[in-house]
Amino acid sequence: AIVGVMVRLTSVPPSTASRMTMIATMLTSAFPTAQPGIGMFFENQPFDQPKGHPWVYVEVIDNFTSKAHIGTPSARYMTVGIVSFEIKVPEDTGTKTMRQIGDSISAILMDQNVAIPGGGSITFYGGGSNEPKPQSGWHTRQLHIEFRAWTTTP
């Protein structure tokens, strides 16, 4: 079961908080329908690690922010980043479920262009993943979805 969105955002710019909240809202709205019963947990959110069934850990990583154009009359900023997912399934259950979860996540975000609350927009692009690796009783696969966000504040 997905726990309500609880992203702790202390000392981050308003545009960063809006981006993170919007991404978390998109995922927590669509993921339960796409993958019922699979937990999705976000960084800085306390949770009890599920035992014996798949789950997903999510981080939103802003790589850098810069002015989108030099010399424009109105300031507009571009942030480049990734949404990073660690998809985990119990080691003795195989990896097919892991790929299905990754496909569901990709379908939710890839090629989406959405408004950011408070102004601006964010576009999600393709991503990449690695081959599953056993880790502490889990097969773990990382999936990264790239994004670019345009805002009026850095």
Side-chain angles (χ1 to χ4, degrees), residues 22-23 26-27 30 104-115 121-126 145-150:
M22 189 273 307
I23 292 168
M26 282 179 71
L27 290 167
S104 294
I105 292 167
S106 294
I108 292 167
L109 292 180
M110 276 196 346
D111 300 324
Q112 298 295 317
N113 185 9
V114 295
S121 65
I122 186 167
T123 302
F124 297 94
Y125 297 94
I145 305 287
E146 299 174 15
F147 69 83
R148 292 205 178 23
W150 290 268

Side-chain angles (χ1 to χ4, degrees), residues 51-103:
K51 293 179 176 38
H53 55 86
W55 59 285
V56 179
Y57 173 76
V58 184
E59 290 183 18
V60 179
I61 303 166
D62 289 349
N63 288 331
F64 68 87
T65 299
S66 63
K67 274 196 155 184
H69 303 286
I70 304 238
T72 57
S74 62
R76 189 166 156 104
Y77 296 88
M78 179 182 71
T79 299
V80 176
I82 60 171
V83 185
S84 177
F85 301 88
E86 281 189 16
I87 304 166
K88 304 204 177 247
V89 298
E91 202 169 17
D92 59 352
T93 61
T95 57
K96 181 179 179 183
T97 299
M98 181 182 298
R99 284 190 290 279
Q100 291 169 337
I101 294 169
D103 289 347

Side-chain angles (χ1 to χ4, degrees), residues 6-7 11 62 75 109 116 149:
M6 184 178 79
V7 182
S11 302
D62 289 349
L109 292 180
I116 298 172

